[in-house]
Amino acid sequence: MANYTLQRGRVPLLISLPHDGSFIPDAIAARMHPAARRSPDTDWHVGRLYEPLAHALGASLLKPMASRYVIDLNRPADGHALYPGQRETGLVSTIGFDGEPLYLDGDTPDSVEVQQRINDFWQPYHQAISKELADLCTEHGRAVLWEGHTIRSRVPMLFEGQLPDFNLGTASGTSCGATLQATLQACLESQSRFSFAVNGRFKGGYITRQYGNPEAAVQAVQLELSQLNYMDEETFEFDEVKARAVQDLISQLLQISLQ
């Protein structure tokens, strides 16, 4: 099977959804606990949120097939921590967001398997990001990388209490220009339906930090959405009515990123 899909657009915007995939190969799933085989920490329906927006705007859209349990595309290949001193899941994690083990006793991946997963899944996705950003810069003289993510509203292992609805990350202002960050923040401040944070618990993962380079005309922004705003967090069922309001605000943010 292909490792990812890339739908090319016509404007200088690439939307990357690195945790959209939920596929776990049978040989890996057989070594996992039954609950883990459902890939519960997937960014559920993130593609469903973004696909119509990408189509309407003419943005490129990149999505993986495999679950983050196979390999986390938003972690560095060398496995170093994104948030030193805080608990987090890793490149090839052995625990879920609930802190419970993913693998049966004695079945965790060894270093050889980790490297194979890097070769098979991580590298192709990152090569696709690099090439698409380069192509957009060639065609338009600039590029914006938008990292779309979603997560449960409450994950005690990662943060206290309930997460704000919209969590904007720009690697503390280094992955995009000050003007873009300020305009995006002003958009969030202009509405009252959703709570938000800018460079709070989620400052942007590896992809945002790695590819955002305003001096080279590439700006990167991560948006982490709280899932309760568009789906049932227990059943994973998508809520069309709730989702429309979320999509309206995301669309505004994406349009700002193209200005």
Side-chain angles (χ1 to χ4, degrees):
M1 62 175 287
N3 291 331
Y4 63 84
T5 61
L6 173 62
Q7 182 179 329
R8 292 217 70 219
R10 60 182 186 275
V11 298
L13 173 62
L14 170 61
I15 299 172
S16 162
L17 307 177
H19 297 149
D20 179 64
S22 59
F23 171 75
I24 301 176
D26 291 343
I28 296 176
R31 296 154 47 203
M32 303 178 85
H33 288 284
R37 296 170 194 164
R38 296 181 65 209
S39 191
D41 297 327
T42 298
D43 289 11
W44 293 110
H45 308 297
V46 67
R48 191 167 177 179
L49 287 174
Y50 275 97
E51 283 169 8
L53 305 181
H55 180 74
L57 289 171
S60 298
L61 183 67
L62 180 64
K63 302 188 302 177
M65 298 296 185
S67 165
R68 68 187 303 157
Y69 286 177
V70 176
I71 195 163
D72 194 329
L73 301 169
N74 202 30
R75 296 292 185 272
D78 64 7
H80 74 258
L82 289 176
Y83 297 95
Q86 299 183 44
R87 198 175 186 194
E88 58 182 288
T89 53
L91 176 69
V92 176
S93 191
T94 58
I95 60 170
F97 285 170
D98 58 4
E100 295 298 316
L102 300 179
Y103 292 88
L104 302 170
D105 289 346
D107 278 332
T108 55
D110 60 18
S111 60
V112 173
E113 182 178 355
V114 169
Q115 185 59 54
Q116 190 62 53
R117 295 192 198 183
I118 292 172
N119 296 344
D120 292 345
F121 299 97
W122 193 96
Q123 289 181 347
Y125 193 85
H126 283 267
Q127 288 167 356
I129 292 177
S130 296
K131 184 178 186 306
E132 183 62 13
L133 290 175
D135 289 347
L136 291 177
C137 284
T138 298
E139 294 169 19
H140 304 282
R142 67 186 181 101
V144 176
L145 171 61
W146 190 274
E147 275 289 291
H149 295 262
T150 74
I151 193 171
R152 280 177 173 266
S153 59
R154 293 182 180 272
V155 184
M157 188 184 85
L158 301 181
F159 49 83
E160 295 182 1
Q162 183 168 313
L163 189 69
D165 299 326
F166 279 62
N167 299 269
L168 206 67
T170 64
S172 299
T174 63
S175 67
C176 77
T179 299
L180 177 55
Q181 178 175 311
T183 311
L184 292 170
Q185 183 167 340
C187 177
L188 292 170
E189 291 170 345
S190 71
Q191 57 81 47
S192 58
R193 178 163 184 164
F194 300 104
S195 60
F196 70 91
V198 177
N199 290 313
R201 171 61 181 85
F202 294 95
K203 294 178 171 61
Y206 174 76
I207 293 175
T208 304
R209 303 179 197 190
Q210 174 68 16
Y211 296 100
N213 186 356
E215 293 183 359
V218 177
Q219 303 193 84
V221 177
Q222 176 177 297
L223 178 62
E224 186 83 57
L225 290 169
S226 178
Q227 291 176 343
L228 63 77
N229 292 290
Y230 69 88
M231 61 175 272
D232 186 306
E233 293 185 322
E234 298 305 317
T235 66
F236 303 157
E237 183 177 356
F238 191 73
D239 188 319
E240 294 275 6
V241 176
K242 283 186 174 182
R244 280 196 288 272
V246 171
Q247 288 173 308
D248 286 345
L249 185 50
I250 297 174
S251 180
Q252 293 177 48
L253 296 171
L254 293 175
Q255 290 178 62
I256 286 170
S257 73
L258 283 169
Q259 294 175 359

